[in-house]
Amino acid sequence: MTRYESAKEIYARYGIDTDAAIALCKKIPISLHCWQGDDVRGFDHEGGLTGGIQTTGNYPGRARTPDELLADMDKAISLCPGAKKINVHASYAIFEKGEFADRDALEPRHFKKWVEFAKARGMGLDFNPTFFSHPRVKDGLTLSSPDRETRDFWIAHGRACIRIASYFAEETGVPCVMNIWTGDGYKDIPADRMGPRMRYKQSIDAILEEPYDFTKVKPCIESKVFGIGVEAFTAGSAEFALSYAAMNRNKCIPLMDNGHYHPTEVVSDKIPALLCFFDEIALHVTRGIRWDSDHVVLLDDETKEIATEIVRCGATERVAIALDFFDASINRISAWVTGFRSLQKALLSALCTPHAMLRKLQDENRMSRKMAAMEDVKMLPIGDVWAEYCRVCGVPADGYYDDIELYEKNVLLKRN
Ligand code: RNT
Ligand code: ZN
């Protein structure tokens, strides 16, 4: 008997069909964010990242060109099991030689390479307007700026991005999640909190006036509690973003980034709350250490709990899952792969958990037995199911860093 056969038998005693879990896990797409590969720099401007988010570290081998980034993503993808989408930021427009279009004038054709890349790999694409790292960010503000011209520039950017998202959906045949996040806010105590938020609201209204098919383009509003340099106030707070999405349910969906809340709040608990009201929600899965530090996602308690809620709410088709982290202090391909695989492990483990049995114990108020059973479940041989899952998907179950190290030696280190 193989280890997987033995594990399968053990899980069957809990009423779990591990083959079915593997088959389902393979189909749950996770959106792989292009911006881990180059420290969120993008291709449409010189220099690094600005606007309330930050990468730290200077590990060698960062992708410097579209070709390098796509090659690195391919390497990462080759080591990740399961279904994928590619998450692109507007600042990653790929221009022809000598060509340039500012953010308000971006066109679908500037993202043709991304479409070709995704289509060739049978993947969908997600998209993000880029409201940061740009000279038109005025005094730290974009869509909520008191300056009309600044707002109009960024509204035009948002509308251009809707057209690009529609093109992505049309070309790939897969709906495109288009996430609106701005770092708009104030470093110190504002004298007006509602003004910026009213302007932000009206600007999003104006962006969403751009025609689109809501079954294909899914605009999201991502909230955030604070950012570097905007510690006192963010226009897109949790209440703002969630209320906007709730009041515009036929136009957009809420997006929760688990780095964007007060440290004792957990997104896992917010998922079932939102699912009571929204048909669809979106997530940015990240790992904050003490703040929204965007460390690589690991198989930690909150990642497991997020996956558990998605699975036990029966919501694998209602939650758009994306990764959002950026670590410049380690091998960037390893960062992608470890983060992606950690979330996949969490999903597989959630799919191999006897939720119906545990729920019954809760509903019958048999809490001592429920606690004991939940602890028993933690010791089930999920590693053997993971190994089988990886085998089925044609990727290594472990030891994947050897392959990355070879790529580092042969490709990444030659870039410096
Ligand atoms: C920032 C937000 C946002 C960005 C990306 C790059 O705190 O999480 O989602 O990380 O758009
Ligand atoms: Zn995010």
Side-chain angles (χ1 to χ4, degrees), residues 133-279:
S133 301
H134 192 280
R136 293 299 297 264
V137 178
K138 190 168 185 258
D139 306 326
L141 305 173
T142 61
L143 294 175
S144 73
S145 168
D147 177 51
R148 161 112 246 159
E149 276 178 32
T150 299
R151 285 203 307 282
D152 285 348
F153 175 86
W154 291 109
I155 290 167
H157 175 54
R159 297 179 69 137
C161 286
I162 290 195
R163 296 191 289 272
I164 294 160
S166 301
Y167 158 72
F168 282 1
E170 217 50 71
E171 287 286 327
T172 62
V174 181
C176 173
V177 173
M178 194 205 85
N179 179 46
I180 296 175
W181 173 77
T182 75
D184 287 25
Y186 291 108
K187 183 182 170 84
D188 220 328
I189 316 299
D192 176 18
R193 291 189 153 88
M194 191 165 157
R197 288 188 175 133
M198 282 305 292
R199 290 190 291 268
Y200 194 12
K201 175 173 178 254
Q202 283 153 8
S203 294
I204 303 171
D205 288 346
I207 291 173
L208 300 186
E209 267 165 30
E210 181 69 27
Y212 59 95
D213 176 347
F214 190 39
T215 64
K216 293 182 181 155
V217 174
K218 310 278 179 187
C220 306
I221 317 295
E222 180 181 16
S223 70
K224 185 163 171 170
V225 61
F226 82 95
I228 297 287
V230 292
E231 287 83 1
F233 170 88
T234 54
S237 61
E239 292 73 17
F240 175 90
L242 190 52
S243 301
Y244 191 95
M247 299 299 283
N248 294 278
R249 284 194 47 200
N250 55 346
K251 283 197 207 155
C252 65
I253 60 177
L255 185 145
M256 295 189 290
D257 179 312
N258 62 301
H260 289 191
Y261 297 86
H262 292 286
T264 62
E265 283 183 74
V266 280
V267 160
S268 51
D269 184 63
K270 299 176 194 295
I271 291 169
L274 265 55
L275 287 173
C276 294
F277 297 95
F278 292 95
D279 295 333

Side-chain angles (χ1 to χ4, degrees), residues 33 35 40 49 51-53 89 128-130 132 179 181-182 222-224 226-227 255 257 259-260 284 286 292 294 324-326:
H33 55 315
W35 52 92
V40 207
L49 173 64
I53 52 177
H89 240 288
N128 307 260
T130 311
F132 52 83
N179 179 46
W181 173 77
T182 75
E222 180 181 16
S223 70
K224 185 163 171 170
F226 82 95
L255 185 145
D257 179 312
H260 289 191
H284 273 181
T286 187
D292 183 31
D294 286 303
D324 183 13
F325 52 77
F326 23 94

